[in-house]
Amino acid sequence: MGIGEITRRSFLAGAVTAGTCAVLGATGCSSPKGGKQDSAASDDDWAQRLNVNIAAVLPGNTKEKVDIAQTKDCDVVVVGAGCSGTNTAVRAAEKGLRVILLEKTETIGGASLRSSGPTAPNSKYEAAAGVKTDTDKIIDTWVADSHWRVDAAAIRQLVTTAGEAVNWMSDNGWNFVYTKMFTKLPDYDTREPLFRAMLKKYVEPKGEVLTSTTAKHLIAGDDGSITGVVAVNGDQGIQINAKAVVIATGGYGGNANMVKTAFNFAGVLAGVPQNVGEGLEMSWKAGAQKPQNFGGQMLHQTLARATDAIQSSFDAFPAKYPMILTYIPHLLNVGSSGARFRSEALVLSPVPAANSSVYQGSFHYVIVSKGIMDVLEKQGLKGLGVTVSPGLPPAYKPNFELGDPWTNIAGVFDKMVETGTGFKGDTAESLAQAAGMDASVFSKQLSDYEGFCTSGYDKQFGKSPEYLKALGSGPYYAIIAEENSLGSWGGLLTNTDYQVLDDSRIPLKGLYAVGNEAGTNLYNDTYVGSGYAMANTITSGYICGAKLGKALS
Ligand SMILES: Cc1cc2nc3c(=O)[nH]c(=O)nc-3n(C[C@H](O)[C@H](O)[C@H](O)COP(=O)(O)OP(=O)(O)OC[C@H]3O[C@@H](n4cnc5c(N)ncnc54)[C@H](O)[C@@H]3O)c2cc1C
């Protein structure tokens, strides 16, 4: 059937234009410079930082209209083969349904292939470690901390079922490891084979897994219920008719324009770049509610803008000097005006560090003085009193000991300034001028901070005295620090059956959502971490697949 044969009424067109334009290079605003906070990073900049050939991972995405070369029928079509989509597909097939799973890349597993692990209260791993989690306490705290603007039933379902869902994956060959922070996923390179083995066992006997296949549009019946999906594989259009469509496309973190619009500026993405919001766009077009709290990003570790700019000039350790210092609580952190905005001790926990930074803008400055540099040059981080290795993302962490001297630190910082990824000034005023801060604000802030260091009492933010290190005289440097996003959070409002809701909060017949995109009811305005993204991804697929099995068998 050709595309023109699908009636206007039954075809919810135009899913991806904005996202595709965004990542394929529409022009945008400039990077932060001279103290101006970004309303946006440039799209060219964004694409460069993603460091991927975007067109190559988006098969067929550049085409808005396709001819339908094949039609397929199934019970459930799942869009996106991250962990949430794969678990949904496996679980629905385990319950006897014929499932087709669509994935735009050639890889199964999405962001879960890069994650550490879920929080899994009362899983068999916790039990074996002698841990008994009080789930009521977690739920009550979570709901209250979100100011009750969340779906307490959905949170309860997640927290009380995550352990069971992890046990189910374990029964399917996944060997998790309990740690105090979370329940670690098996080794990175074993995960995709484990997903594929589950698909082979449960989905493939009756259904299909179609990789390099991008879902573009939903199809609706005359009564508005969702009856399938149109996808593309290269130049070929495929119409898949189904009793239910599950959106598991992971969000819009790879779509700079969408992030900018929803979040005010597009930061640095550490998540999967192919998630450009197609699942959201097609669901909104089908009548799904765009929720009030749309815009949350999974903010995580801090990066120094200098890292990429100077890496070819130095060995791995010196090239990370600026970045390492963004993780050290002993330094002064200020926003674009030159005012301090937090106790720098927050840098010891990635999610609080990221959210406190982003609250005041798209970047902040970490201030270093000659005195601090002299200590680092002679005694390394130990000289500052650092006792714990800074928590850099594994991909950025060089091999070094806390007592290793920071040789050539001045050369590295001068290179940072030369590349425009940091600033220098002999005095507080001249640094402020170079970095675009308000000179009077920064000078007063520096002098107040020096006072706190002398008295041992941080009147402004109560930072522990062990982290109060006076800067002394100049020259001073300002490192530009930015926050990493692991992807977006939310976008579709769902009930506890994972049915997508319309503006009246009534389920859109035939449309379901799981994973990141179904996180709207779990967090108020932003994801706050602690392993519940993976928990939600694992558990939403586990529950949704089973519920579909029950509803459609
Ligand atoms: C580096 C990193 C570390 C992380 N660490 C942790 C952690 O330790 N603990 C934790 O709780 N969380 C962590 N997270 C978050 C967690 O991994 C994610 O929230 C979760 O894996 C998202 O799962 P998902 O299935 O919703 O989406 P994804 O895994 O992103 O899967 C979406 C899939 O949909 C596909 N897709 C997109 N659009 C289409 C389309 N139109 N058609 C077909 N397919 C499409 C994509 O290619 C992708 O495979 C981390 C994330 C990252 C990036």
Side-chain angles (χ1 to χ4, degrees):
M1 177 164 68
I3 199 100
E5 291 167 65
I6 301 172
T7 65
R8 197 168 186 284
R9 190 166 169 198
S10 67
F11 189 76
L12 302 160
V16 293
T17 327
T20 306
C21 288
V23 285
L24 292 180
T27 52
C29 310
S30 61
S31 325
K33 220 185 256 168
K36 291 235 163 60
Q37 282 288 2
D38 275 6
S39 62
S42 87
D43 290 321
D44 287 347
D45 203 23
W46 176 267
Q48 264 172 22
R49 287 188 210 179
L50 295 180
N51 198 23
V52 289
N53 178 350
I54 291 161
V57 294
L58 300 176
N61 239 6
T62 50
K63 290 199 185 297
E64 200 167 341
K65 290 192 174 178
V66 287
D67 290 329
I68 304 295
Q70 297 178 61
T71 301
K72 294 173 182 282
D73 297 293
C74 60
D75 295 311
V76 179
V77 55
V78 180
V79 182
C83 179
S84 66
T86 305
N87 276 7
T88 307
V90 170
R91 195 85 164 122
E94 196 187 45
K95 301 288 174 197
L97 299 182
R98 175 168 151 66
V99 180
I100 295 181
L101 175 62
L102 307 180
E103 167 54 45
K104 80 194 307 185
T105 66
E106 288 181 357
T107 305
I108 304 293
S112 71
L113 302 186
R114 304 185 192 178
S115 302
S116 299
T119 299
N122 301 323
S123 67
K124 67 182 197 184
Y125 299 99
E126 286 205 356
V131 174
K132 171 92 185 88
T133 299
D134 180 349
T135 48
D136 281 345
K137 195 170 159 201
I138 292 178
I139 296 160
D140 288 350
T141 309
W142 182 334
V143 173
D145 284 354
S146 310
H147 301 132
W148 303 274
R149 294 171 73 172
V150 280
D151 181 344
I155 292 170
R156 177 162 292 273
Q157 176 169 264
L158 169 59
V159 174
T160 57
T161 319
E164 182 186 319
V166 161
N167 292 348
W168 170 78
M169 287 186 82
S170 168
D171 293 343
N172 280 290
W174 292 70
N175 293 317
F176 292 80
V177 177
Y178 173 76
T179 73
K180 279 194 180 145
M181 280 177 72
F182 42 65
T183 306
K184 244 173 80 176
L185 284 157
D187 287 348
Y188 289 100
D189 55 1
T190 63
R191 297 178 194 171
E192 188 175 4
L194 284 166
F195 279 127
R196 287 195 184 269
M198 287 161 78
L199 292 170
K200 190 165 182 202
K201 181 169 174 194
Y202 293 106
V203 173
E204 287 172 11
K206 280 169 90 175
E208 278 181 90
V209 177
L210 304 177
T211 53
S212 296
T213 304
T214 304
K216 306 270 284 182
H217 310 286
L218 291 171
I219 304 167
D222 286 345
D223 63 353
S225 61
I226 303 306
T227 58
V229 142
V230 173
V232 288
N233 179 324
D235 282 341
Q236 287 217 330
I238 309 168
Q239 179 175 339
I240 301 153
N241 303 314
K243 295 173 195 160
V245 177
V246 183
I247 302 293
T249 43
Y252 57 97
N255 181 334
N257 271 355
M258 239 171 130
V259 176
K260 274 184 241 172
T261 307
F263 192 62
N264 199 30
F265 56 85
V268 184
L269 180 73
V272 281
Q274 72 268 17
N275 291 349
V276 292
E278 291 151 322
L280 297 179
E281 295 276 11
M282 67 179 99
S283 301
W284 294 334
K285 282 192 164 70
Q289 180 183 138
K290 189 170 187 176
Q292 252 183 357
N293 62 0
F294 180 65
Q297 307 299 309
M298 291 196 277
L299 299 169
H300 215 253
Q301 279 120 340
T302 309
L303 305 172
R305 178 166 290 193
T307 308
D308 288 347
I310 65 174
Q311 67 177 349
S312 59
S313 307
F314 302 101
D315 289 342
F317 177 37
K320 305 296 182 314
Y321 290 168
M323 179 150 168
I324 292 169
L325 294 180
T326 69
Y327 286 79
I328 303 303
H330 305 68
L331 302 175
L332 168 64
N333 295 176
V334 296
S336 54
S337 70
R340 209 166 155 228
F341 58 94
R342 65 180 173 195
S343 159
E344 291 81 359
L346 276 185
V347 303
L348 297 171
S349 314
V351 173
N355 281 293
S356 62
S357 166
V358 154
Y359 174 68
Q360 58 79 53
S362 60
F363 68 95
H364 69 265
Y365 293 128
V366 176
I367 307 298
V368 185
S369 63
K370 167 131 185 20
I372 301 271
M373 288 162 69
D374 286 348
V375 171
L376 289 168
E377 185 146 40
K378 288 195 191 95
Q379 305 166 49
L381 287 173
K382 248 190 186 160
L384 287 184
V386 177
T387 54
V388 181
S389 184
L392 273 68
Y396 289 92
K397 201 162 188 168
N399 265 335
F400 74 101
E401 301 295 328
L402 294 179
D404 287 350
W406 286 32
T407 46
N408 192 25
I409 184 168
V412 171
F413 276 68
D414 286 338
K415 189 76 188 172
M416 172 180 87
V417 174
E418 189 188 312
T419 56
T421 55
F423 301 100
K424 181 180 182 182
D426 288 335
T427 62
E429 288 75 15
S430 60
L431 178 70
Q433 209 164 27
M437 297 184 271
D438 181 314
S440 59
V441 170
F442 179 64
S443 303
K444 177 166 186 325
Q445 179 65 78
L446 184 59
S447 137
D448 287 352
Y449 185 77
E450 295 289 74
F452 307 150
C453 293
T454 310
S455 70
Y457 176 58
D458 174 7
K459 200 164 89 179
Q460 207 175 1
F461 289 107
K463 182 163 76 167
S464 167
E466 70 185 294
Y467 302 134
L468 290 169
K469 287 270 168 255
L471 284 99
S473 54
Y476 302 102
Y477 290 85
I479 300 166
I480 301 174
E482 300 171 296
E483 302 306 329
N484 226 352
S485 169
L486 300 180
S488 65
W489 185 260
L492 297 175
L493 189 61
T494 46
N495 60 18
T496 50
D497 289 337
Y498 298 95
Q499 290 173 295
V500 174
L501 306 181
D502 70 11
D503 284 341
S504 307
R505 301 197 167 219
I506 295 169
L508 278 164
K509 206 163 162 243
L511 190 61
Y512 295 75
V514 290
N516 281 358
E517 284 157 341
T520 286
N521 52 8
L522 301 176
Y523 289 100
N524 179 354
D525 56 1
T526 194
Y527 172 68
V528 292
S530 73
Y532 276 103
M534 272 311 303
N536 176 52
T537 286
I538 290 171
T539 311
S540 58
Y542 171 77
I543 300 174
C544 180
K547 291 205 175 196
L548 286 168
K550 204 164 170 200
L552 303 180
S553 294

